[in-house]
Structures are given as C-alpha cells and as structure tokens.
Amino acid sequence: MATKKIFLNIAILLSCMFVWGQKGYKPSVENLKAREAFQDDKFGIFIHWGIYSMLADGEWVMHNKNLHWQEYEKLAAGFYPSKFNAAEWVAAIKASGAKYITITTRHHDGFSMFDTKHCDYNIVKATPFKRDIIKEIAQECQNQGIRLHLYYSHLDWRREDYYPLGRTGKGTGRTKQGKWEDYHAFMNNQLTELLTNYGKIGAIWFDGMWDKDIYPDGMTAKTWNLDEQYTLIHKLQPACLIGNNHHITPFAGEDIQIFERDLPGENKAGLSGQDISRLPLETCETMNGMWGYKIIDQNYKSTKTLIQYLVKAAGKNANLLMNVGPEPNGNIPAVAVQRLKEMGEWMKTYAPTIQGTRGGVVAPSHWGVTTQKGKTLYVHVLDLTDKALFLPYSGNKLIKAVEYNGKKSIKFTQDNDGILLKFPKIPESPDYVLELTFEKELPAK
C-alpha cells in the first residue's frame, strides 16, 4: 500500500506539472486515481466491429473503395450477427489476462453500434438485429469485472455537416455542405448518451482528428472545440479518462497519450513521432494486419510476438491495447481466440511482473526490458544468446536474485558499476523473467 501511495503522489505531482503548462484543465482526484489504475492494468483488448465487417475488407473499405454513402448504408439492412454473444466475448478477453476492453461505438463510416436518439443510422433502428451491442458489452463487463472503454470517431465519411471535408472520405458522394457546429453538437449529444446510459466508462478513445491536418488550423483544439467536449466528458464522469489518437502532443484535458502501431519513442510505422508526455501511455497494435475484419488477412502474429510486445510496452511504462476484428456473424475469429487463450496461459504465471508495475530503473535494451514494484525489479530477458547479463544499476544493495518461475537462485556479483547476473543456461523464449530484490525502494522513473 505504501508503494501505491508513493506512485499516486508522483502521478499527482507530474500531472500538475503537465497541467500548469496548459490552460484550464486540472484533473480531479478521481481522475488521477483512474490514471493510476489504468497504468496498473497494462493490457487491454481493442475491438473494431461494425457493418464494414460484412464486406470483409477492413474498416476503411468505404474510403478505400470510394463507396457512395447511400449505397454503403444499405449494408445495415442486412446486418444480423446471429452468433454474437457478449458473455463469450468478455470471457475470452478476460481469460487473456486483459483488464479492459475498448470497443468502437462509431467508426469513420458514421454507423453507431449503440441505440442513439440523435441518428437513425444505428444498430437498433437500421438493422434487423435491433440489439444494442454496446449495452450488452457494458453489462457483461460489469458482470465479469472488466473495465469498459469506448472508441468514438471524430471523423465521419457520411454526414454532410462534417464540413469542410478532410483528406479522407472525399469519394463517398457528399454534395451538400452542412454546418461544422451542428456536427460538434451531434458528437457531444452522442457522447452524453454513452456516458449516461452505459454505466461507468473507463475512457473515451477518440480517433480521426488527423483527417483535418491538411488545413493550417485543422489540428487545433479550437477547430475541434476540444475544451467544450472534454469538459463535458469530465463533468459527466470525472474519472473517465480521455485519450485522442491524433498523433501529436496531448492537448489540455487529455488524460492518456496514445501511440498507434508503435511503442513510445519509436516511429517505425510513421504514426507516432510525437514527444512522450508525462501522461499514462498506451500503444495500440493489431493482432494480424487490419483493425476491422478482412477475410484474406490471416497474417496473425505469433503468441511469442504478442507476449514480447506486451512486455516491451510495460518496460517502456506503457499499456498494450491489442486489437481483434470480429466477423460479420458476431464471432471473434478462431485464431484470435486461440491467441487470447495462449497469452492468458502465460499471464497466469507472469502477470504480476507486468500488471501493477512501472517501467524499471534499467532502460530497455537489445536483450529486453525491466519492470519494477517497490523493492523488486523484474528483468525480462527476451533475446539473449549469452549465459550472463550486466545491469548498469548501482547504489542500491541487491539482496536476492531468483528466477521468477520456480524461485531458483541466480548467481550475481555487484560493484560500483552495476550488477552481473550469471544464468545456468542461455535464456529461453518468449520471456525469461528474473526477480531481483533490493535493500531500498527502487526510484520511480
């Protein structure tokens, strides 16, 4: 408990330092506690699902194929995911060791997966299924003890009041020019529904603001009226975290920082070159290639790769939000379910070395990463062909070093330069975890 209090006090201090440099927003005590819990969770599952799954060509098919909005919306009349079972979805996700679910309530195609009074183009009114997907997921999350986060698109390829148009969705047949302020009112009305009708929401996860980066003021808080929108969210649910996948430095009012397809500090995919803030961090990645269901995309990452990505994220003090794209019939693909199960088997043993920890005092390196909690440093050896490892950390006496699984003692020597660990054999994949106990509390990064 003492360690938790120390981390919370540090979080409050850093948050205040961050906020003071930006006008207006001061996170509530509930919000700061929610940030701490979010960092403890470390692992979440992303769900991209909508009527686009019927075309089995990914969630961007409307834009990629320049489908006219009046033709595309006809998909809704045939959407009947007869095999959808919220209890099975949540159980499979919980079995992976994940602590929260982030699900698309409305993607760029403009179709709402919940019962909204502000647009008939939704799962209840426009489909023969007539069931509120988000309501059922929310209920199961509550029943099974897993947090619910909601994805909401700032971008819309269908509405005429999403004007001026951005750099995507120009071929969807919109000819009229609505009012931008009407679109903002629509979004805020829907967000009010989501935050009042679906229980406790852990976070709102925005996406699509980058669509307006073609305009000089397209990426400003003023253009998107973020102050009003973020104030609304925090007023309705003070503990609800706000994240925005805009690919730039966070704005005032945001509570987490998102990195797409990259770990913080890396930019291999070209979407995450922004500076790393002092906010809690999350990286989102796909289990295969696409976010939404694509029938020819069977390029699933191996369980080893997924586990190692989760560990690397934790070592960089970030959460991993791993995506699955359900099929149009309501099933999560069998391969994805298997990956979730296999990750869960690993997490049954090693979750305490990830969840509830923070990035370790030894920086990530070619061989792996470290995480820490109190006086304990967890050394995650991911790729090493030697039987010894040097850790450049000194000034704190190492009391004990053991293999985490089995608690077998590990030989070590310590001097002013650091610690040399000697292994009985070359470490095996996917993750050889050591537990090092020190005399004093490890300093927070």
Side-chain angles (χ1 to χ4, degrees), residues 18 22 246 248-252 254-258 274-277 279:
F18 182 78
Q22 301 187 43
H246 42 47
I248 57 178
T249 303
F251 290 97
E254 293 172 17
D255 305 300
I256 61 175
Q257 183 177 10
I258 298 167
Q274 68 268 39
D275 291 337
I276 300 172
S277 73
L279 295 175

Side-chain angles (χ1 to χ4, degrees), residues 1 9 13 44 46 48 50 58 69 74 95 104 121 217 248 262 269 293 375-376 383 419 436:
M1 291 298 293
N9 289 336
L13 175 61
F46 214 169
H48 274 71
W69 68 269
K74 294 176 182 177
T104 51
Y121 191 50
D217 63 346
I248 57 178
D262 267 308
Y293 178 68
K375 298 179 181 180
T376 303
D383 185 14
I419 300 162
L436 276 57

Side-chain angles (χ1 to χ4, degrees), residues 212-277:
K212 300 271 190 175
D213 63 9
I214 56 175
Y215 302 110
D217 63 346
M219 295 294 287
T220 64
K222 182 178 180 180
T223 292
W224 288 92
N225 203 11
L226 295 184
D227 290 343
E228 178 183 336
Q229 192 168 76
Y230 290 178
T231 298
L232 171 69
I233 293 169
H234 287 135
K235 180 179 179 180
L236 291 170
Q237 293 200 27
C240 181
L241 304 176
I242 295 174
N244 197 325
N245 188 36
H246 42 47
H247 306 155
I248 57 178
T249 303
F251 290 97
E254 293 172 17
D255 305 300
I256 61 175
Q257 183 177 10
I258 298 167
F259 296 83
E260 182 175 352
R261 291 188 184 272
D262 267 308
L263 296 169
E266 300 179 6
N267 193 23
K268 297 175 183 177
L271 300 171
S272 298
Q274 68 268 39
D275 291 337
I276 300 172
S277 73

Side-chain angles (χ1 to χ4, degrees), residues 59-72:
E59 75 291 348
W60 272 59
V61 63
M62 185 180 183
H63 163 82
N64 291 339
K65 301 293 185 181
N66 287 320
L67 301 179
H68 195 287
W69 68 269
Q70 289 176 315
E71 294 300 314
Y72 182 87

